[in-house]
Amino acid sequence: RIDKIQILQTPSLLSYVRARRIHIACARRFCSEAFYSVHRKQYYALAFANDKGGYELRNPYFKTGSSPKYYTTIQGEDDSKLNVFEGFMDFLSCCTYYWKVPKHRTIILNSLSFLSRIEPMIVDAEKIYLYLDNDEAGRKATKGLMDSFDHVTDMAPVLYPHHKDFNEFLKR
């Protein structure tokens, strides 16, 4: 249960963001901090909102999410193209790496299980840029999309071919 959402300010969470090599301004733009309860115990974490009002929750010790689980959409200046990130740390890593928010509409899946839900956006977009993980699940999802659609570009081998994901690449 989420008890309270506030501006990102707790020193240990700010240290966590720094340890992930994410710019604090970027994290504050897209994340809050959540105080929540599980089995009557209180916790706090970095909170990244999804499109249904739930949150992805991260701190140095674990990652979880609140209900409802869903993907996150960030509208861009140009919605003809679509960026697709597997997780929000990778999206924040991209913003940090390029020192800006992507100008195209961006979907953060928050779970590969939501990939099928965004297919209508994939069909409608002029170009798709994938930023999925370099693990078995990410490669399988990428292959499936690239086999089904001609307008998909896999950015993992371009940006982080020797790293698990964008954030691991950023932390190198």
Side-chain angles (χ1 to χ4, degrees):
R1 184 184 86 217
I2 302 285
D3 300 315
K4 178 180 168 184
I5 297 288
Q6 69 181 32
I7 187 170
L8 178 57
Q9 62 188 2
T10 299
S12 62
L13 291 178
L14 293 171
S15 291
Y16 173 61
V17 168
R18 283 187 205 95
R20 300 294 298 257
R21 302 290 192 254
I22 304 295
H23 290 294
I24 297 298
C26 178
R28 280 192 169 137
R29 178 170 178 182
F30 294 102
C31 299
S32 303
E33 62 183 55
F35 292 84
Y36 63 99
S37 306
V38 178
H39 304 297
R40 296 188 200 134
K41 291 188 178 184
Q42 299 285 314
Y43 302 95
Y44 60 95
L46 198 61
F48 183 77
N50 67 40
D51 290 359
K52 295 272 185 174
Y55 290 92
E56 293 302 306
L57 302 169
R58 302 287 183 277
N59 71 29
Y61 308 105
F62 67 93
K63 60 186 203 175
T64 189
S66 70
S67 295
K69 293 280 288 173
Y70 206 64
Y71 61 82
T72 303
T73 306
I74 297 173
Q75 294 302 322
E77 299 168 22
D78 174 6
D79 287 347
S80 67
K81 296 180 179 128
L82 180 66
N83 298 305
V84 179
F85 291 87
E86 190 165 333
F88 80 90
M89 281 295 183
D90 297 316
F91 167 69
L92 297 176
S93 296
C94 180
C95 295
T96 296
Y97 183 74
Y98 288 109
W99 288 82
K100 64 181 179 179
V101 177
K103 70 178 181 177
H104 307 298
R105 180 173 28 169
T106 298
I107 300 290
I108 298 91
L109 293 170
N110 299 318
S111 170
L112 283 176
S113 65
F114 291 114
L115 202 49
S116 62
R117 297 255 180 121
I118 69 160
E119 274 197 26
M121 288 181 261
I122 291 172
V123 170
D124 290 344
E126 177 182 302
K127 189 79 177 151
I128 308 299
Y129 299 99
L130 293 180
Y131 300 85
L132 304 184
D133 289 358
N134 273 327
D135 59 11
E136 185 178 342
R139 285 189 296 272
K140 182 179 176 184
T142 297
K143 182 179 180 342
L145 286 170
M146 293 183 80
D147 288 348
S148 299
F149 302 101
D150 293 334
H151 62 299
V152 175
T153 300
D154 180 11
M155 298 304 292
V158 175
L159 289 168
Y160 47 96
H162 306 294
H163 300 278
K164 179 189 176 289
D165 58 26
F166 208 140
N167 187 247
E168 186 179 281
F169 163 71
L170 185 67
K171 292 188 317 184
R172 74 191 188 294

